[in-house]
């Protein structure tokens, strides 16, 4: 066993304290733009101040991690996402992630993990795989776990939420060495159980996606993926766009870690 393997094991333990995790995703400012942040949520510190303490880790791009370090540092594990893209680029190039930082940036920031996106099925799959393996290789040197945002998207994919398509993306993620996998919900506990199965023990976390109609609706989805054997969820908009971000995070965490029924967990948001 190498020094780096010990470090990776320890860092994974911090992100998944009981084998499960609620990760707060806060990388939307680049991929979606300021429109995702109504009212006071345009100030990232105000949101993080409400969420830190309720979640198991935060996932930020390097610049945002630097700007808000006084809020999260020493209080919650940090995952640094080192790829991203804007929606301002030509539509035909939106299935390509660009380099947005380096593993060394994550190390300097004190991160517990790094993250990168791969759009499986994209016409730019090769370029993103080059990024992924460069990130993975560097992270291994430092004992940093790698979270892959495994998103099947491409011109030949008719339904990126189809269970067989999602399963394919998860299999590709483990074949490419992901330590944690973030992927799409497939619509039911039964179908998502098949997604978890194909991961062969690598932790699977559901992507929170767009804001649900109600928090209760989203809690039902979280309960579904946890019942399917997932290790947790990575959630952004269903927390920071909620009128009570702290309460929303607390309610989601109750389903993830305590297995509460959604109606009972919803009381934690009050």
């Amino acid at each position: 066993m190498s020094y780096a393997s010990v470090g990776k094991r320890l860092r994974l333990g911090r992100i998944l304290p009981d084998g499960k995790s609620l990760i707060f995703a806060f990388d939307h400012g680049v991929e979606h733009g300021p429109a995702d942040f109504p009212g006071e949520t345009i100030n990232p510190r105000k949101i993080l101040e409400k969420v830190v303490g309720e979640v198991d880790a935060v996932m930020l791009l390097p610049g945002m991690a630097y700007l808000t370090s006084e809020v999260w540092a020493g209080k919650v594990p940090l995952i640094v996402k080192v790829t991203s893209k804007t929606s301002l680029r030509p539509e035909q190039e939106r299935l390509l992630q660009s380099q947005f930082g380096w593993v060394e940036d994550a190390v300097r920031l004190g991160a517990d993990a790094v993250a990168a996106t791969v759009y499986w099925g994209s016409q730019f799959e090769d370029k993103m795989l080059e990024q992924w393996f460069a990130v993975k290789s560097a992270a291994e040197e430092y004992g940093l776990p790698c979270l892959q945002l495994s998103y099947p998207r491409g011109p030949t994919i008719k339904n990126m939420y189809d269970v067989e398509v999602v399963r394919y993306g998860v299999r590709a993620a483990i074949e490419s060495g992901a330590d944690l996998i973030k992927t799409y919900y497939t619509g039911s506990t039964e179908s998502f159980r098949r997604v978890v199965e194909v991961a062969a023990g690598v932790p699977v976390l559901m992507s929170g996606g767009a804001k649900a109609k109600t928090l209760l609706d989203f809690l039902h989805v979280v309960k579904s993926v946890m019942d399917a054997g997932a290790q947790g969820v990575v959630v952004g908009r269903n927390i920071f766009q909620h009128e009570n971000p702290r309460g929303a995070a607390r309610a989601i965490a109750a389903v993830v870690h305590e297995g509460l029924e959604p109606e009972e967990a919803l009381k934690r948001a009050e």
Side-chain angles (χ1 to χ4, degrees), residues 203-222:
V204 173
L205 303 110
M206 181 197 74
S207 172
K211 187 175 184 293
K213 186 176 180 181
T214 68
L215 177 57
L216 182 59
D217 289 340
F218 186 68
L219 293 174
H220 276 286
V221 172
V222 175

Side-chain angles (χ1 to χ4, degrees), residues 227-244:
D227 287 348
Q231 279 69 43
V233 291
V234 184
V235 184
R237 286 166 284 180
N238 279 288
I239 291 177
F240 71 75
Q241 289 183 348
H242 191 270
E243 60 186 11
N244 179 3

Side-chain angles (χ1 to χ4, degrees), residues 173-191:
I174 67 167
E175 297 268 11
S176 55
D179 299 301
L180 299 159
I181 301 167
K182 177 189 178 191
T183 196
Y184 301 131
Y185 180 54
T186 51
S188 70
T189 303
E190 292 72 23
S191 64

Side-chain angles (χ1 to χ4, degrees), residues 16-49:
L16 299 116
D18 57 356
K20 302 171 184 177
S21 188
L22 165 56
I23 298 171
F24 178 56
F26 206 41
D27 58 327
H28 303 71
V30 172
E31 301 216 4
H32 299 176
D36 256 20
F37 306 99
E40 72 167 12
T41 66
I42 196 66
N43 184 337
R45 293 181 181 87
K46 288 186 177 293
I47 293 298
L48 285 168
E49 285 168 357

Side-chain angles (χ1 to χ4, degrees), residues 95-145:
L95 290 180
L96 171 65
Q97 290 265 315
S98 299
Q99 200 74 34
F100 232 79
W102 308 98
V103 169
E104 289 77 10
D105 295 327
V107 173
R108 295 181 187 107
L109 286 162
D112 279 295
V114 292
T117 299
V118 178
Y119 294 137
W120 296 105
S122 162
Q123 61 270 42
F124 304 109
E125 190 178 278
D126 275 354
K127 291 184 179 180
M128 283 176 286
L129 281 175
E130 287 178 8
Q131 287 177 335
W132 168 257
F133 285 116
V135 169
K136 176 72 178 171
S137 178
E140 288 289 337
E141 292 295 314
Y142 296 104
L144 287 174

